[in-house]
């Protein structure tokens, strides 16, 4: 009789372990779905228009130890936008045309005009209460 009780207890333990595994699997799938939705929501979509200027990410600079060097290379002009994120760009300096992945590009914004404003500076400032 003891063998039957031990056998039944073992079967119940195995079933309970299987239920715990299934619960963990379902929880893991729910977590992955929520994480994917959050990640997809935070991705900024880039749209490129023909004739606009863009900067190209130069991946070789990632290996260089210079911290303050910009990893974005000179402005290029978008000549053609392909399906699935490919973009054809042209360099104004060398007039070479090549295709790159749109993830390696970011829009180039022209600099703001700086107005020269002259300020009256006192040689010996005095503070008055």
């Amino acid at each position: 009789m003891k063998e039957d009780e031990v056998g039944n207890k073992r079967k119940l333990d195995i079933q309970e372990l299987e239920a715990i595994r299934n619960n963990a699997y379902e929880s893991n799938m729910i977590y992955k779905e929520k994480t994917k939705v959050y990640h997809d929501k935070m991705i900024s979509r880039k749209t490129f228009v023909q004739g606009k200027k863009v900067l190209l990410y130069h991946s070789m600079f990632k290996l260089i130890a210079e911290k303050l060097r910009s990893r974005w290379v000179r402005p290029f002009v978008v000549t053609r936008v392909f399906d699935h994120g490919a973009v054809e760009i042209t360099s104004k300096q060398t007039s070479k045309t090549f295709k790159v992945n749109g993830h390696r590009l970011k829009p180039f914004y022209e600099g703001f005009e700086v107005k020269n404003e002259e300020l009256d500076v006192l040689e010996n400032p005095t503070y008055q209460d």
Side-chain angles (χ1 to χ4, degrees):
M1 192 75 172
K2 280 193 166 185
E3 290 179 10
D4 290 338
E5 291 175 10
V6 171
N8 289 336
K9 182 172 180 352
R10 183 158 175 95
K11 286 180 187 178
L12 290 175
D13 289 344
I14 290 173
Q15 288 177 353
E16 184 179 346
L17 182 62
E18 190 67 30
I20 292 171
R21 283 185 188 155
N22 288 338
N23 189 14
Y25 180 78
E26 290 173 9
S27 297
N28 188 26
M29 293 303 292
I30 292 169
Y31 171 76
K32 285 183 179 182
E33 289 173 3
K34 287 182 179 179
T35 305
K36 182 181 182 332
V37 168
Y38 176 77
H39 180 266
D40 291 345
K41 184 173 67 173
M42 292 300 167
I43 292 176
S44 61
R45 304 288 180 209
K46 299 178 192 173
T47 56
F48 299 105
V49 181
Q50 187 173 351
K52 293 288 185 177
K53 290 184 180 180
V54 293
L55 295 174
L56 175 66
Y57 180 76
H58 197 286
S59 59
M60 289 200 46
F61 287 143
K62 187 166 43 172
L63 303 175
I64 298 174
E66 299 175 14
K67 291 181 182 179
L68 300 178
R69 187 168 184 165
S70 177
R71 291 178 171 87
W72 296 94
V73 184
R74 67 179 167 254
F76 294 90
V77 178
V78 175
T79 55
R80 190 170 171 199
V81 179
F82 296 98
D83 294 338
H84 306 293
V87 179
E88 186 176 272
I89 57 176
T90 304
S91 172
K92 284 188 173 183
Q93 295 174 350
T94 60
S95 67
K96 289 185 179 180
T97 303
F98 50 96
K99 290 181 189 177
V100 295
N101 190 339
H103 293 288
R104 294 183 58 200
L105 299 174
K106 74 176 181 179
F108 176 73
Y109 300 107
E110 298 291 334
F112 297 105
E113 292 183 22
V114 178
K115 296 181 181 179
N116 291 333
E117 295 182 10
E118 294 181 16
L119 299 175
D120 294 331
V121 180
L122 300 174
E123 291 181 16
N124 294 322
T126 58
Y127 296 101
Q128 297 175 0
D129 289 355

